Amino acid sequence: MKRGRILVGMSGGVDSSACCILLQEQGYEVVGATLRMWDSGKTDFEPPFIQEARALATKLGIEHYTVDIRKEFMPGVIQPFIDEYMHGRTPNPCVICNPGFKWRYLLETADKYNCLKVATGHYVRIAEKEDIYWIEEGEDKSKDQSYFLWGLTQRELSRTIFPLGGYRKSDIKDEMMRRGFPEKAAKRESMEICFIKNDYRSFLREMIPNINERVAGGYFVDSSGRKLGYHNGYPFYTVGQRKGLEIALGHPAYVVKINPYKNTVKLGSMEDLICSAMTLEKCIFADESILDSPDIRVRVRYRGKAIKIKCFIKETDKLTVEFGEVATSIAPGQSAVFYIGERVVGGGIIANTTAKSK
């Protein structure tokens, strides 16, 4: 018995392919959609990932559509990514892309083809209680992607299914082999940003041809403002960075702060990276009363340790978080994601930090 039409975001990889197969076996009428978001602006060929997605759809006997949104991707994701680096911050484009872009167009496509819900191959679970939906960590903690999905609102979550949340990645590969898709199981997965081939610095130079001239002449400085030497351009560094500084000081040095207005990159010790608090912007919480929970923790980087919180200071459009234990190497522009146990209860973008008093 059919359980209704569901739209699966198909990337051509093993995870989205497994989604299609599992949902089909569960009785859903699966419709595949591949978002063509970025392929260096080339229009004279169809990328292999679209061909692979279509080939699988044909093999499974399901509808497949390609949604070309490259023009929208540039102002929606690429430009904010560039702008953040030019403002001395370290962006996380996936966090921007997921709610404001990927889910937006998946849901639009679902509506167009009469699909009630959408599904993706993320290794997370979804829970619902009293009509409130929550993201929860996936069964496979080594592949858990909950950190990147805190920006999904109730509108998106109420219409989303994550079929792989209860599986381990190794199990999914084994299942694909068993079902006769060895090429999918063996395909190498990409852990990189979809529009970055090698290094983000090369991408910035490609997108801003005069960037080297724009950021030239800047200095590394110490905590007192003393000049230590020239840097290669402040957008090419991130807070916490140690390797690739290309400056010899006779002792380990880390990027502690980036000032785009003065064109300086402050260097210091590991101790200088310890923060007592951070201020967040663009926060999303399904239920703000959750902030009163003694069990709430925060992650300030993907796969980072969940940190205890001392207290919250609420403002009109910002939230200051004081830490209850050591927090270090926090980069403005990154996401702070709040958890209670395995459940994501909210998140925000790190605007700035407060160094711990020595």
Side-chain angles (χ1 to χ4, degrees):
M1 180 179 177
K2 291 294 182 183
R3 300 176 65 177
R5 286 167 65 85
I6 187 167
L7 185 85
V8 176
M10 296 181 67
S11 66
V14 61
D15 297 327
S16 61
S17 300
C19 279
C20 293
I21 294 170
L22 291 173
L23 290 171
Q24 203 174 42
E25 291 180 351
Q26 291 170 19
Y28 287 97
E29 183 181 354
V30 175
V31 178
T34 302
L35 302 181
R36 185 175 184 179
M37 299 185 290
W38 178 262
D39 41 61
S40 300
K42 297 178 181 178
T43 59
D44 57 347
F45 78 105
E46 187 174 67
F49 71 90
I50 295 179
Q51 298 173 16
E52 292 172 13
R54 183 183 296 112
L56 178 72
T58 299
K59 191 169 185 178
L60 296 178
I62 65 176
E63 299 171 42
H64 177 266
Y65 303 95
T66 300
V67 185
D68 191 340
I69 45 179
R70 285 172 291 172
K71 289 182 180 179
E72 294 84 354
F73 195 68
M74 181 63 197
V77 178
I78 299 290
Q79 195 58 54
F81 174 84
I82 295 171
D83 292 344
E84 284 285 84
Y85 272 112
M86 295 306 291
H87 283 91
R89 291 157 54 112
T90 304
N92 190 322
C94 295
V95 169
I96 297 173
C97 179
N98 282 326
F101 200 84
K102 185 177 293 183
W103 256 262
R104 171 186 170 186
Y105 289 104
L106 284 176
L107 287 173
E108 283 186 7
T109 305
D111 290 340
K112 182 177 180 179
Y113 296 109
N114 300 314
C115 299
L116 183 61
K117 290 182 178 284
V118 301
T120 70
H122 289 87
Y123 283 84
V124 297
R125 294 173 292 179
I126 196 163
E128 182 266 334
K129 183 178 181 181
E130 297 178 353
D131 293 326
I132 296 180
Y133 293 82
W134 311 89
I135 291 284
E136 293 185 343
E137 293 178 354
E139 177 69 24
D140 191 339
K141 296 299 184 285
S142 69
K143 295 296 179 182
D144 170 60
Q145 296 164 296
S146 60
Y147 176 86
F148 299 105
L149 298 175
W150 65 266
L152 295 180
T153 67
Q154 291 298 296
R155 175 180 176 272
E156 289 92 30
L157 292 177
S158 65
R159 295 189 61 187
T160 302
I161 293 176
F162 297 109
L164 307 189
Y167 292 86
R168 300 189 63 81
K169 179 77 174 213
S170 57
D171 296 332
I172 289 298
K173 288 188 173 184
D174 290 344
E175 285 298 309
M176 293 299 283
M177 287 286 291
R178 188 175 68 81
R179 286 170 165 79
F181 297 94
E183 74 287 351
K184 295 294 184 186
K187 188 174 181 180
R188 182 179 179 182
E189 61 180 318
S190 173
M191 298 299 291
E192 304 299 323
I193 299 169
C194 67
F195 54 87
I196 303 292
K197 287 185 178 180
N198 299 304
D199 182 82
Y200 85 88
R201 298 166 183 86
S202 299
F203 181 79
L204 290 180
R205 290 187 176 101
E206 178 185 347
M207 300 302 293
I208 311 174
N210 68 338
I211 189 172
N212 289 334
E213 290 76 17
R214 287 176 59 178
V215 300
Y219 287 96
F220 286 118
V221 298
D222 62 14
S223 58
S224 64
R226 182 172 62 94
K227 296 176 181 177
L228 302 174
Y230 288 105
H231 60 61
N232 292 326
Y234 71 84
F236 306 138
Y237 302 93
T238 187
V239 170
Q241 180 179 339
R242 176 184 176 186
K243 296 181 179 180
L245 299 182
E246 299 182 6
I247 185 172
L249 299 175
H251 56 80
Y254 301 82
V255 174
V256 174
K257 189 173 183 179
I258 298 168
N259 190 325
Y261 307 105
K262 293 183 178 180
N263 197 6
T264 58
V265 176
K266 183 186 292 186
L267 301 182
S269 66
M270 177 61 79
E271 185 180 359
D272 294 323
L273 286 168
I274 299 175
C275 299
S276 62
M278 63 181 174
T279 299
L280 309 180
E281 58 190 8
K282 301 178 181 178
C283 297
I284 293 177
F285 291 91
D287 180 0
E288 286 198 2
S289 67
I290 211 79
L291 295 175
D292 298 324
S293 170
D295 299 319
I296 194 167
R297 302 288 187 272
V298 63
R299 285 198 175 103
V300 294
R301 67 183 62 84
Y302 180 47
R303 300 202 188 288
K305 174 189 174 183
I307 304 169
K308 294 180 181 178
I309 295 168
K310 181 179 179 181
C311 69
F312 294 98
I313 302 172
K314 300 177 185 178
E315 302 175 50
T316 303
D317 56 351
K318 292 185 178 180
L319 180 71
T320 296
V321 181
E322 293 188 2
F323 299 113
E325 59 182 315
V326 173
T328 185
S329 301
I330 300 176
Q334 289 284 288
S335 290
V337 185
F338 297 91
Y339 290 80
I340 292 181
E342 296 185 334
R343 177 167 294 180
V344 175
V345 296
I349 302 296
I350 301 166
N352 54 63
T353 61
T354 302
K356 184 177 181 180
S357 300
K358 295 183 181 179

